[in-house]
Amino acid sequence: MDYRKLAQKYDTPLYVYDFGEVAKNYAAIKKAFKARKSLIAYAVKANSNLSLLKLLANLGSGADCVSIGEIKRALLAGIPAYKIIFSGVGKRDEEIAEALEKDILYINIESEAEGHRVERIAKELGKVARISVRVNPNIDPKTHPYISTGLSENKFGVDIDTAKRLYLLAKKSPYLSPVGIHFHIGSQLTELGPIKEASAIVADLVRALQKIDIDIKFFDVGGGLGIRYKDEKTIEPYDYAQGILSTLSGLDVTIVCEPGRFIVGNAGVFLTRVLYEKHTGSKRFIIVDGAMNDLLRPSLYNAYHEVEVVGKEGEGEPADVVGPVCESGDFLAKDRPLPPTQPRDLILVKSAGAYGFVMSSNYNTRPRPAEVAIEEGKDRLIREREHFEDLIEKEIRFMV
Ligand code: LLP
C-alpha cells in the first residue's frame, strides 16, 4: 500500500482499513463453523464505521450491539433486525423499548433485575421479548485484566443458579421467550482451554434446561478470538470452532459468534506523521501528530502495536513514539529501535483496526482523524476528518 500517497491525499493522523482483509477474516470464521447452523454477529463496538458495517452486512453478517446507537448503526448499514443482538451490562429503559420495537433477534440479559425490567417493558408494549441469558462461567480467560470478563469478580453476566432462575421466570412469563444462552469470557483470547471449559459448562446448562422443557435455540459463544499484535500464538478459527463444537454433542443449536477484533484488528493501520525528534538526557522521543486521543490502547492497556517508519529500514537508538497530548501516558509505542526520522516522515502503527477509532476522543480539542477504506486497490474516504467547528458546535450557542 502506498501510505505516502494516502497521507498526502487525506492528511494525518489517519485510519486506513483494508476491506479485502475484513472480508477474508469474516469468511474464515464463518467457514470454521460450517458444520453447524451459525450466525456471525460482528461486535460493532470494535469498529462501528457505517461503510465497514455495510460491507459486513453484504457478506451476511449479523451484529452484536451494546447500545441502541450501535443497533441503529447496524440497521442503517443494512444488517437485518433478525440478525441483531443487544448485549451489555446496563441498558436504559428507552433502549430496551426501542430494541423490542425494532424486533431484533434477542436481548442478552445480564442480571435478575434486568430480566424483570425487560419483562415489564415488554408487557407495557404488548410484546414478547426474545431473550438470552449471559452466563458467567467463572473461568479465568488468561488475558489482560481490563478485558477479562468471565470471572465472578467481573461485572458481567450471572452465575449458573441465577441463570436458571431467569430461565424459569422467562418460561412462566407470557412476555419473555428464552431463545438463547450466552457467554463471553474475555477479549484477545490466545488459549483454547478456557473457552472450551466455559463452553462445556454452558452446554451442560442447556442440557439441564432441556430437561425442564426450556429449549435453547441460540448458543452464543461471544467474541474474544485473539489476533497477533507482536508474536502471540493465536488460536486458528478452525480449532476455535472445533473446541466449541466438541462440547455440544447431542444439542441442536445455532451457534452465534460475536467476533470483533478478529474481523477488523489486523485489517487496519493508524498512520501518523513525525513532527520532530527530541532527545532528553536519557531518552529519545519521536513526537508525532497522532496521540492517545486517536489511539488509546497503548496508554490504557499498555498494549503493544508494531510501528514502522514508512520507507526506512534499519534500527536506531530505542525511542518512545509519543503524541502531543499533555499527559505522560500519551504514547503509541515505547522503547522501539526505530531508524532516525525526519519531520514529515510517516509512522505506521499496525493492528489498529479494532478498538482504535471507536475509542478515540476529542481530548485537548483534537479533531478526530479521517477513516479511509482500501477496496480492490482503490482508496475511499469513509469518514471525514473532524474540524474545530465540529467540536464546538454543541456548545457555542450557550456561550453568553
Ligand atoms: N461480545 C461481547 C459480549 C463482548 O463484551 C465483546 C468485547 C465482544 C463480543 C467482542 O470481543 P472481541 O472479539 O473483539 O475480542 N477495548 C478493548 C477490548 C474490549 C472488548 C470488550 N468486549 C481493547 O482494545 O482491547
Side-chain angles (χ1 to χ4, degrees):
M1 211 169 295
D2 191 344
Y3 292 113
R4 284 205 189 89
K5 227 172 88 188
L6 289 174
Q8 213 169 24
K9 184 165 172 189
Y10 299 104
D11 206 354
T12 56
L14 182 72
Y15 276 99
V16 183
Y17 311 122
D18 181 343
F19 274 14
E21 186 72 25
V22 171
K24 205 183 84 193
N25 295 338
Y26 174 83
I29 191 107
K30 182 73 189 166
K31 186 170 159 215
F33 283 107
K34 73 171 191 295
R36 290 260 183 163
K37 284 171 284 179
S38 72
L39 170 67
I40 307 302
Y42 167 68
V44 172
K45 65 168 86 68
N47 186 327
S48 56
N49 183 283
L50 286 174
S51 299
L52 177 92
L53 294 180
K54 186 168 175 197
L55 167 76
L56 288 163
N58 291 340
L59 295 169
S61 181
D64 170 49
C65 301
V66 290
S67 68
I68 198 69
E70 285 190 354
I71 294 177
K72 286 179 178 169
R73 274 182 184 269
L75 288 167
L76 202 58
I79 297 178
Y82 66 83
K83 291 184 183 174
I84 294 177
I85 298 158
F86 188 12
S87 309
V89 76
K91 307 175 186 77
R92 289 170 55 87
D93 288 5
E94 298 85 337
E95 292 185 293
I96 296 168
E98 209 172 329
L100 290 175
E101 265 153 8
K102 294 194 182 326
D103 209 18
I104 63 165
L105 183 59
Y106 56 79
I107 298 179
N108 259 323
I109 303 292
E110 296 224 17
S111 63
E112 255 180 314
E114 189 173 58
H116 291 289
R117 184 75 60 88
V118 170
E119 184 191 31
R120 200 195 72 211
I121 296 171
K123 184 176 177 188
E124 277 163 18
L125 295 173
K127 296 231 173 215
V128 179
R130 283 182 296 276
I131 61 144
S132 128
V133 175
R134 174 159 177 184
V135 180
N136 185 334
N138 197 18
I139 296 284
D140 183 357
K142 307 209 169 71
T143 183
H144 191 291
Y146 279 21
I147 50 179
S148 145
T149 48
L151 278 168
S152 55
E153 67 197 50
N154 299 124
K155 67 179 176 180
F156 299 96
V158 298
D159 60 39
I160 303 271
D161 288 339
T162 312
K164 280 186 189 153
R165 278 202 301 280
L166 273 163
Y167 281 111
L168 287 173
L169 166 80
K171 190 184 175 205
K172 272 193 285 178
S173 169
Y175 306 105
L176 296 175
S177 167
V179 297
I181 196 156
H182 177 237
F183 67 95
H184 170 88
I185 58 172
S187 195
Q188 184 54 15
L189 305 176
T190 52
E191 286 187 37
L192 188 55
I195 302 172
K196 264 176 87 165
E197 243 181 286
S199 185
I201 292 171
V202 178
D204 279 345
L205 178 55
V206 174
R207 292 185 188 99
L209 292 172
Q210 266 183 348
K211 293 206 179 94
I212 50 169
D213 275 340
I214 297 172
D215 198 20
I216 300 298
K217 292 191 191 66
F218 298 101
F219 191 82
D220 184 341
V221 302
L225 195 52
I227 61 167
R228 186 164 298 143
Y229 284 96
K230 189 181 185 184
D231 49 13
E232 299 90 335
K233 222 176 146 331
T234 53
I235 310 166
E236 286 301 315
Y238 178 81
D239 298 333
Y240 171 70
Q242 285 307 310
I244 289 166
L245 296 179
S246 69
T247 67
L248 294 179
S249 56
L251 292 178
D252 179 22
V253 285
T254 297
I255 306 286
V256 179
C257 181
E258 308 165 348
R261 191 186 318 261
F262 180 82
I263 305 271
V264 284
N266 273 333
V269 295
F270 178 63
L271 202 54
T272 174
R273 249 190 228 288
V274 175
L275 300 173
Y276 20 72
E277 286 211 15
K278 174 171 176 174
H279 296 256
T280 66
S282 54
K283 235 182 146 87
R284 173 184 172 210
F285 291 100
I286 301 175
I287 302 169
V288 296
D289 65 359
M292 67 186 287
N293 75 293
D294 305 307
L295 178 62
L296 184 60
R297 302 194 72 255
S299 303
L300 188 59
Y301 312 115
N302 207 12
Y304 181 97
H305 285 255
E306 218 148 83
V307 295
E308 251 175 54
V309 184
V310 174
K312 284 194 176 169
E313 305 273 308
E315 296 200 343
E317 188 197 327
D320 285 7
V321 180
V322 301
V325 163
C326 301
E327 302 264 356
S328 293
D330 176 27
F331 64 91
L332 297 174
K334 283 208 154 157
D335 285 322
R336 305 294 173 85
L338 295 168
T341 65
Q342 298 299 320
R344 296 194 66 74
D345 272 353
L346 286 172
I347 300 236
L348 194 61
V349 183
K350 296 189 174 172
S351 314
Y355 307 107
F357 185 88
V358 283
M359 290 176 76
S360 65
S361 77
N362 294 120
Y363 188 36
N364 282 203
T365 302
R366 290 171 51 87
R368 284 182 296 176
E371 297 181 287
V372 166
I374 308 295
E375 244 169 345
E376 288 163 13
K378 289 205 184 71
D379 52 272
R380 174 163 77 86
L381 188 65
I382 55 172
R383 191 183 207 269
E384 251 178 66
R385 181 175 303 285
E386 288 179 351
H387 298 287
F388 174 69
E389 289 67 28
D390 300 317
L391 273 53
I392 58 163
E393 191 222 317
K394 295 252 182 286
E395 60 190 272
I396 185 80
R397 66 181 186 281
F398 299 109
M399 190 175 65
V400 287

